[in-house]
Amino acid sequence: MPWMRLWPSWDVPVGSGTVSINKAINAQEVAVKEKHARTCILGTHHEKGAQTFWSVVNRLPLSGNAVLCWKFCHVFHKLLRDGHSNVLKDSVRYKNELSDMSRMWGHLSEGYGQLCSIYLKLLRTKMEFHTKNPRFPGNLQMSDRQLDEAGENDVNNFFQLTVEMFDYLECELNLFQTVFSSLDMSRSVSVTAAGQCRLAPLIQVILDCSHLYDYTVKLLFKLHSCLPADTLQGHRDRFLEQFRKLKDLFYRSSNLQYFKRLIQIPQLPENPPNFLRASALSEHISPVVVIPAEASSPDSEPITDLVEMDTASQSLFDNKFDDIFGSSFSSDPFNFNSQNGMNKDDKDRLIEQLYGEIAALKEELENFKAESARGAVQLRGRASELEAELAEQRHLKQQAQDESEFLRAELEELKKQREDTEKAQRSLTEIERRAQANEQRYSKLKEKYSELVQNHADLLRKNAEVTKQVTAARQAQGDVEREKKELEDSFQRSQEQAEVLDTLKRELAASRQELQVLQGTLESSTQAGAEQSTRIASLEQERDSLSRAAEQHGEEMAALRAELQQLQDTLSREQESSKMELETLQTQLRDKQFALLQGTAREAERMVQDALGRLEDPAHIGCTGSADCLLSRTLAASECVERLRDAHSKYLSNRAAVGSLLPCLALFAHLVSDTLLQGSATSHVAPMEPADRLLEMCKQCGSEAVSYLSALQDPGTVEGADCSLVTTCLGRISAIGEELRPRGLDVKQEELGDLVDKEMAATAAAIETASTRIEEMLSKARAGDTGVKLEVNERILGSCTGLMQAIHILVLASKDLQREIVESGRGAASPKEFYAKNSRWTEGLISASKAVGWGATVMVDAADLVVQGKGTFEELMVCSREIAASTAQLVAASKVKADKDSANLCKLQQASRGVNQATAGVVASTKAGKSQVEEKDSMDFSSMTLTQIKRQEMDSQVRVLELENQLQKERQKLGELRKKHYELAGVAEGWEEEDFSELFEPALAE
């Protein structure tokens, strides 16, 4: 039946559903008809899956026809967005086939090849994203609560989810850009069938991009509330790049005629969100894509369907007519015979009347449909307004939450600062503990050195005792020799006794002979013989005792000789061991002393190398110093080098004299490092050439010091180490420092007081002269100018007069404060002596007074030129700001030595605020006059052609780039001029660093 075409194809047999899919995905280069795509979507909901879709698609030659593949991607994208939730599950198994097809189409560089390759990659990415994140529906529509639940309130999940969204959005933008680059934008491609075939899928891309951009912004704000800003630098850079691409693509799409009747594309804000400011989330407005109801299906009802509708309506009318008038259509369809005489004209009129009523009903039905459509549009608009109000309320709520989070972040920051302070205190305690440990280590080394000295003394005493023992042994040996001599004497006596015995024997023989001779007288001398026998027996006994005594003396002599030899051997061994032990102790003592010297030299070398490393440290660039401080450090380092040279010489002559060398090394390293750092700080405020020479000489001095300390660590080069090169480098640094010393003013100290009064008087006179000139210029302007010019000149000159009056009041208050300072600080001395004693402060006052007088003169000249029409308003604004900075310098110079509770100081500060207000008035009046005088260009481009507009656009871009380049160069030049000005005004006049910062801080703020 014909009206069956009005219902979804899946509600009819499967063959009809296959036909709808084949009609949606065909090889004709026209856009997919909305009714066929909607039929496919309804079919997935009826089937609760996409099995039928894939069974039909698998039979299509997608790899052989690029247009067919492109339209398949479009339909599949719609199914993933608006189809049944099981479409994703049924399609995941075909992911690899899609990847292979993407690589195959990627080899074609023309036509639909690259488009199909990128679109297939996008679909694969979309399937992977929704597989990993099942909480996200296919159309990506979620509330903020559902978005929070998707991350499970875990910062790691939010971080990973943001990365995946970046990848997802990157694929969408690639397809967007590739489609636009494949079109010839110089022709109206959006009204052609081929152009619409390529542009139609971008509607789905725009819907996806709007949601992905919104969710990415919200997730980045959430991540910045939990993680440090440095950790998310990569996320911010990637978001900024995608923001620019998406903004450009949305703008280009909104200008195409094809999209204007199908979709309302939102415009992104001019600047990307500031994620470093939590309250910026309240300023974020979610982009909403609106699809008008009357344009939701522009090609869903072609003309043929409308004809079939009419046919179906006619058939339905015929059936209803039969029910009313009878069913005998073949014989008597209108029952003419039963109308009791009704003629044919009445029947015709009745038929015409019924047709008229049908036409009226049709017209009323069309009107009702149109009214319903308008009502639906109004309801959608009202719904959009309510959604906007709801979003605004959410934004207000989010703003309150952001403020709460900001306060919480500030509390956390305060806690972190407190923790950092505690860490600093702990580190200070640790440093003190290390210092105490170093002191204890030094004390232990000192005690060890004392112990070595004591051991050396004990060894010396032991050596003396051994020497005494050797002397005693020698004395004992002398005693033994004396006893030996005595024994030899006694032995000689024994020999003499033996000789006496022999003599007695001979006498005995003689006596026997006499006995024989005197045998006769034997009996008479019997008694004498008995006595003689007794005497002989006693002599024999005495001889035996003497021989035994001689043997004993011999044994004792041998024992004494053996003992003497043993004592001599023991003594020689002890002497040798004592000598070796003494040499060992002396060697160990020398090694320990040299190790102590090596450690000290190594630490000194590390200190100097650290100073050399800090010369190249960017953090040290902001440090500044004066030449006087550099000269004092250089002088101390030179004196320390001389002491180090003397201590080194003593050490070489006596290696035990290391005690005097170690303190000199430590002090040498400290002073040289301090000199290097002070030289680098001085070079930061010195002119270019002396600064380069000073920095190079500091590096050379550090290198020579490192070489000298390295030579001290090597036993082979310790004798040849020479620090004369370090002395030479220090002398050259001192010479450069002398060149950089401030020369001051060429005024005698006695004349400073008079010069202060003269300069203050000259400043007051210059201000009065400037006021007089302004009054004269105002009178001339009133006499010669009229209209807008007179109004502008009166306003500018009036504000300049007010500024001169405020400066005059400030100069008078400065004089009063200076008089009070001189009276309170000079004591019994005269004012001139006070000024001479505080010469640097006096020179600051003189310089500030000169700057105020000069600024007043220049501003009056600039105002005169502006009134005459020869000058520029910008020059007048700069002069007014410059004179305000000069007065701020005078205020700072005046209150350096003032009492905090001084009434004159309060007056001076009040006058300074008046000068600032008057300066703001001059700038405001100048800006107002400039805007009032200048004419605005109408910028009428209605008569220009496309080529001319493009040419003018390119010229404007070139001019913008040139002006930006000139602006950057002028800013750099201004920075260098200010730096040189502060250098000449501060360092060259010898101000202290604190005075310098206090005097020129207002100027730096300007």
Side-chain angles (χ1 to χ4, degrees):
M1 296 179 69
W3 61 81
M4 291 295 293
R5 294 174 57 89
L6 298 174
W7 304 100
S9 298
W10 255 287
D11 291 339
V12 296
V14 177
S16 181
T18 304
V19 171
S20 297
I21 298 175
N22 289 326
K23 286 184 178 181
I25 306 174
N26 54 51
Q28 297 179 3
E29 194 174 1
V30 294
V32 176
K33 291 185 178 181
E34 186 67 24
K35 67 174 185 177
H36 296 153
R38 185 166 60 248
T39 302
C40 295
I41 294 172
L42 294 175
T44 60
H45 288 281
H46 177 76
E47 188 185 13
K48 293 184 173 54
Q51 293 86 356
T52 303
F53 173 77
W54 282 108
S55 64
V56 175
V57 167
N58 288 332
R59 295 193 296 269
L60 296 177
L62 300 180
S63 301
N65 192 315
V67 176
L68 192 69
C69 182
W70 176 254
K71 299 179 76 171
F72 155 73
C73 293
H74 185 190
V75 175
F76 184 42
H77 196 174
K78 279 180 168 289
L79 293 183
L80 289 176
R81 280 188 51 83
D82 303 324
H84 194 270
S85 58
N86 290 333
V87 171
L88 178 64
K89 298 179 181 179
D90 295 337
S91 303
V92 170
R93 66 173 66 96
Y94 300 102
K95 185 168 61 174
N96 294 330
E97 286 80 355
L98 296 179
S99 299
D100 296 338
M101 194 183 307
S102 173
R103 286 193 294 271
M104 187 272 294
W105 284 116
H107 295 296
L108 297 180
S109 59
E110 297 180 355
Y112 284 87
Q114 288 293 329
L115 297 178
C116 293
S117 176
I118 296 175
Y119 207 166
L120 289 168
K121 290 180 182 178
L122 169 61
L123 296 175
R124 178 185 173 90
T125 303
K126 183 176 181 68
M127 293 167 64
E128 292 176 349
F129 177 81
H130 290 287
T131 303
K132 292 181 181 178
N133 304 280
R135 293 178 183 266
F136 283 83
N139 56 8
L140 295 175
Q141 293 182 359
M142 295 180 67
S143 62
D144 292 343
R145 181 179 60 82
Q146 292 173 337
L147 183 62
D148 293 336
E149 292 176 354
E152 299 178 356
N153 292 325
D154 188 356
V155 67
N156 296 320
N157 294 340
F158 286 128
F159 190 93
Q160 182 62 29
L161 182 60
T162 307
V163 174
E164 294 175 359
M165 284 191 176
F166 279 143
D167 297 337
Y168 192 175
L169 185 57
E170 187 70 28
C171 293
E172 302 273 5
L173 295 176
N174 287 340
L175 179 60
F176 223 136
Q177 290 179 328
T178 307
V179 171
F180 273 109
S181 62
S182 67
L183 297 175
D184 186 3
M185 303 305 293
S186 63
R187 298 184 294 109
S188 299
V189 294
S190 63
V191 299
T192 64
Q196 292 179 0
C197 181
R198 299 190 182 192
L199 292 174
L202 296 186
I203 296 177
Q204 312 302 318
V205 175
I206 292 172
L207 292 171
D208 288 344
C209 289
S210 63
H211 292 298
L212 290 174
Y213 167 77
D214 184 33
Y215 299 155
T216 304
V217 171
K218 294 177 181 178
L219 289 178
L220 283 177
F221 272 110
K222 188 177 295 295
L223 288 176
H224 277 79
S225 65
C226 302
L227 298 176
D230 294 340
T231 305
L232 300 173
Q233 182 63 42
H235 280 51
R236 291 198 300 274
D237 295 340
R238 193 171 182 186
F239 173 80
L240 182 60
E241 179 182 0
Q242 294 184 353
F243 172 81
R244 292 171 179 170
K245 292 181 181 178
L246 186 60
K247 181 180 178 182
D248 178 65
L249 294 173
F250 274 9
Y251 176 75
R252 294 171 65 183
S253 301
S254 61
N255 294 329
L256 293 178
Q257 188 65 30
Y258 176 71
F259 290 118
K260 288 183 179 179
R261 64 188 183 88
L262 295 178
I263 189 172
Q264 293 182 8
I265 302 176
Q267 295 299 321
L268 298 185
E270 184 67 23
N271 298 316
N274 185 7
F275 300 109
L276 301 180
R277 183 168 58 89
S279 60
L281 179 59
S282 61
E283 303 172 2
H284 170 67
I285 300 177
S286 301
V288 179
V289 180
V290 179
I291 300 178
E294 62 272 11
S296 62
S297 58
D299 53 0
S300 60
E301 300 297 337
I303 297 176
T304 57
D305 295 337
L306 294 177
V307 174
E308 292 174 358
M309 281 278 295
D310 294 339
T311 305
S313 300
Q314 182 65 33
S315 177
L316 182 62
F317 166 73
D318 293 339
N319 294 335
K320 289 183 177 180
F321 190 83
D322 293 338
D323 294 337
I324 295 174
F325 295 100
S327 59
S328 58
F329 180 74
S330 60
S331 61
D332 192 8
F334 294 101
N335 200 9
F336 290 149
N337 297 326
S338 62
Q339 297 299 324
N340 297 322
M342 183 178 293
N343 57 18
K344 185 176 181 180
D345 294 336
D346 294 334
K347 295 178 181 178
D348 292 338
R349 284 195 300 271
L350 179 60
I351 292 172
E352 290 176 357
Q353 181 180 359
L354 291 175
Y355 272 118
E357 289 178 359
I358 290 171
L361 290 174
K362 285 184 178 180
E363 183 178 358
E364 185 179 356
L365 179 61
E366 293 296 332
N367 293 333
F368 179 77
K369 288 183 178 180
E371 185 66 24
S372 299
R374 287 194 296 271
V377 172
Q378 292 176 358
L379 290 176
R380 287 193 182 92
R382 180 57 180 168
S384 299
E385 292 178 358
L386 292 176
E387 288 177 356
E389 291 179 359
L390 179 60
E392 184 178 0
Q393 294 297 328
R394 289 177 179 174
H395 292 159
L396 293 176
K397 179 182 178 182
Q398 188 65 31
Q399 184 177 4
Q401 293 178 354
D402 292 338
E403 290 178 355
S404 176
E405 292 176 358
F406 178 75
L407 294 176
R408 192 178 295 108
E410 286 186 347
L411 180 60
E412 294 294 333
E413 184 177 359
L414 291 175
K415 290 182 179 180
K416 290 181 180 179
Q417 291 179 357
R418 181 179 178 184
E419 292 176 357
D420 294 338
T421 305
E422 293 177 354
K423 289 180 180 178
Q425 292 179 353
R426 288 195 295 270
S427 63
L428 179 60
T429 306
E430 182 67 18
I431 291 172
E432 291 177 353
R433 186 184 63 78
R434 291 180 179 176
Q436 293 177 359
N438 291 331
E439 291 179 357
Q440 294 177 358
R441 182 182 177 186
Y442 178 77
S443 300
K444 291 180 180 179
L445 290 174
K446 188 176 181 182
E447 292 174 359
K448 188 64 176 178
Y449 175 73
S450 301
E451 183 179 357
L452 291 174
V453 173
Q454 185 65 30
N455 292 334
H456 182 255
D458 294 337
L459 289 174
L460 292 177
R461 285 193 297 270
K462 189 174 181 181
N463 189 16
E465 292 176 358
V466 171
T467 305
K468 290 180 181 179
Q469 291 179 0
V470 171
T471 304
R474 290 177 180 175
Q475 292 177 358
Q477 185 178 3
D479 296 336
V480 170
E481 290 178 354
R482 285 193 298 272
E483 290 177 359
K484 180 180 179 181
K485 290 180 180 180
E486 291 176 355
L487 289 174
E488 289 177 352
D489 293 337
S490 62
F491 182 73
Q492 290 178 358
R493 287 195 299 272
S494 299
Q495 289 180 350
E496 290 176 355
Q497 291 176 359
E499 292 176 356
V500 172
L501 182 59
D502 293 337
T503 304
L504 290 174
K505 287 181 179 179
R506 286 192 300 270
E507 289 177 355
L508 179 59
S511 299
R512 286 178 178 177
Q513 290 176 1
E514 289 179 358
L515 181 58
Q516 290 178 1
V517 175
L518 296 176
Q519 285 180 358
T521 63
L522 182 58
E523 286 105 0
S524 59
S525 59
T526 302
Q527 188 175 359
E531 294 176 0
Q532 192 67 30
S533 298
T534 304
R535 185 179 179 185
I536 291 171
S538 63
L539 289 174
E540 288 179 354
Q541 292 177 356
E542 187 178 357
R543 184 190 63 185
D544 294 335
S545 63
L546 288 174
S547 61
R548 286 195 300 273
E551 291 177 357
Q552 292 178 357
H553 281 294
E555 293 176 356
E556 291 178 1
M557 181 62 68
L560 289 174
R561 287 178 179 176
E563 186 178 359
L564 177 61
Q565 185 64 34
Q566 185 177 1
L567 289 174
Q568 289 178 348
D569 296 339
T570 304
L571 179 61
S572 61
R573 287 194 299 270
E574 289 182 355
Q575 288 178 346
E576 291 177 357
S577 62
S578 300
K579 185 176 180 181
M580 292 175 62
E581 186 176 359
L582 180 61
E583 292 176 353
T584 303
L585 291 174
Q586 290 177 350
T587 303
Q588 292 179 355
L589 180 60
R590 284 194 297 270
D591 293 342
K592 290 182 180 180
Q593 290 176 348
F594 188 75
L596 190 60
L597 174 61
Q598 280 182 328
T600 306
R602 191 179 300 110
E603 291 296 330
E605 181 183 358
R606 188 179 295 110
M607 187 182 300
V608 177
Q609 288 179 347
D610 179 65
L612 286 174
R614 290 175 65 184
L615 296 182
E616 305 295 338
D617 189 2
H620 186 64
I621 295 177
C623 300
T624 59
S626 62
D628 294 333
C629 185
L630 174 62
L631 290 175
S632 64
R633 293 291 85 194
T634 306
L635 179 60
S638 301
E639 293 176 354
C640 179
V641 170
E642 294 298 330
R643 292 197 298 271
L644 180 61
R645 183 184 290 109
D646 297 338
H648 188 203
S649 301
K650 292 180 181 179
Y651 173 73
L652 294 178
S653 60
N654 182 15
R655 295 301 177 92
V658 73
S660 61
L661 182 59
L662 299 180
C664 292
L665 279 177
L667 183 60
F668 168 77
H670 172 71
L671 292 178
V672 169
S673 302
D674 197 6
T675 302
L676 297 180
L677 295 177
Q678 188 63 34
S680 175
T682 305
S683 68
H684 294 159
V685 295
M688 185 66 66
E689 182 181 357
D692 293 341
R693 288 193 289 111
L694 179 58
L695 190 60
E696 185 65 28
M697 194 52 60
C698 289
K699 292 180 180 179
Q700 183 178 354
C701 180
S703 301
E704 295 297 340
V706 170
S707 301
Y708 173 70
L709 294 173
S710 299
L712 290 179
Q713 300 176 32
D714 190 0
T717 60
V718 67
E719 295 182 359
D722 187 11
C723 58
S724 59
L725 295 177
V726 180
T727 305
T728 304
C729 293
L730 290 175
R732 294 177 181 175
I733 293 175
S734 179
I736 298 174
E738 288 291 342
E739 295 177 5
L740 297 176
R741 289 190 65 183
R743 298 295 182 262
L745 297 173
D746 297 330
V747 181
K748 295 182 180 180
Q749 297 290 338
E750 295 80 3
E751 300 176 1
L752 285 176
D754 297 335
L755 188 58
V756 171
D757 296 334
K758 290 180 182 179
E759 290 297 333
M760 294 299 292
T763 301
I767 294 171
E768 292 178 358
T769 303
S771 301
T772 304
R773 287 186 61 189
I774 291 173
E775 292 294 336
E776 294 176 356
M777 288 187 287
L778 184 58
S779 300
K780 292 180 181 179
R782 290 172 178 172
D785 299 333
T786 58
V788 176
K789 185 176 181 181
L790 176 60
E791 181 181 355
V792 171
N793 292 338
E794 284 183 347
R795 187 184 298 114
I796 292 176
L797 294 177
S799 61
C800 291
T801 303
L803 178 59
M804 290 296 106
Q805 293 175 356
I807 294 173
H808 182 68
I809 295 172
L810 184 137
V811 171
L812 294 178
S814 177
K815 285 183 178 180
D816 295 338
L817 181 59
Q818 293 171 20
R819 191 179 299 110
E820 178 183 346
I821 292 171
V822 173
E823 292 297 331
S824 61
R826 67 186 180 90
S830 62
K832 292 184 178 180
E833 292 176 353
F834 177 80
Y835 284 123
K837 181 179 179 181
N838 301 274
S839 59
R840 291 188 175 180
W841 176 70
T842 306
E843 291 170 359
L845 288 177
I846 294 171
S847 176
S849 300
K850 286 183 177 180
V852 172
W854 174 82
T857 304
V858 173
M859 192 189 76
V860 172
D861 295 338
D864 191 8
L865 293 176
V866 170
V867 171
Q868 295 177 7
K870 299 178 181 180
T872 60
F873 292 96
E874 289 80 3
E875 183 177 359
L876 182 58
M877 287 189 285
V878 170
C879 291
S880 62
R881 289 172 178 169
E882 184 65 26
I883 195 172
S886 300
T887 55
Q889 176 184 348
L890 179 61
V891 172
S894 299
K895 71 177 184 179
V896 166
K897 293 185 176 295
D899 187 6
K900 295 181 179 180
D901 300 329
S902 174
N904 290 323
L905 178 59
C906 296
K907 293 180 181 179
L908 181 63
Q909 293 174 345
Q910 184 66 29
S912 176
R913 288 191 287 270
V915 171
N916 292 333
Q917 294 175 0
T919 303
V922 172
V923 174
S925 61
T926 305
K927 289 182 178 179
K930 179 181 178 183
S931 62
Q932 191 173 358
V933 171
E934 290 180 350
E935 295 181 356
K936 302 294 183 179
D937 295 335
S938 60
M939 294 188 293
D940 185 12
F941 303 132
S942 59
S943 62
M944 297 177 67
T945 64
L946 177 61
T947 305
Q948 292 175 345
I949 290 176
K950 190 63 178 179
R951 179 67 179 179
Q952 291 292 333
E953 181 182 356
M954 293 177 63
D955 294 340
S956 298
Q957 290 178 356
V958 171
R959 182 60 178 165
V960 168
L961 292 176
E962 290 176 352
L963 292 176
E964 288 179 350
N965 190 15
Q966 292 178 4
L967 177 61
Q968 184 177 4
K969 290 182 179 178
E970 288 298 327
R971 283 178 175 171
Q972 293 178 353
K973 182 179 178 181
L974 178 61
E976 293 297 330
L977 288 173
R978 283 183 174 175
K979 180 179 179 182
K980 191 65 178 178
H981 170 258
Y982 298 154
E983 175 187 339
L984 295 176
V987 177
E989 294 185 4
W991 292 344
E992 297 292 339
E993 185 176 357
E994 296 82 359
D995 299 340
F996 179 83
S997 60
E998 188 172 3
L999 288 175
F1000 290 98
E1001 185 176 0
L1004 289 173
E1006 290 293 331

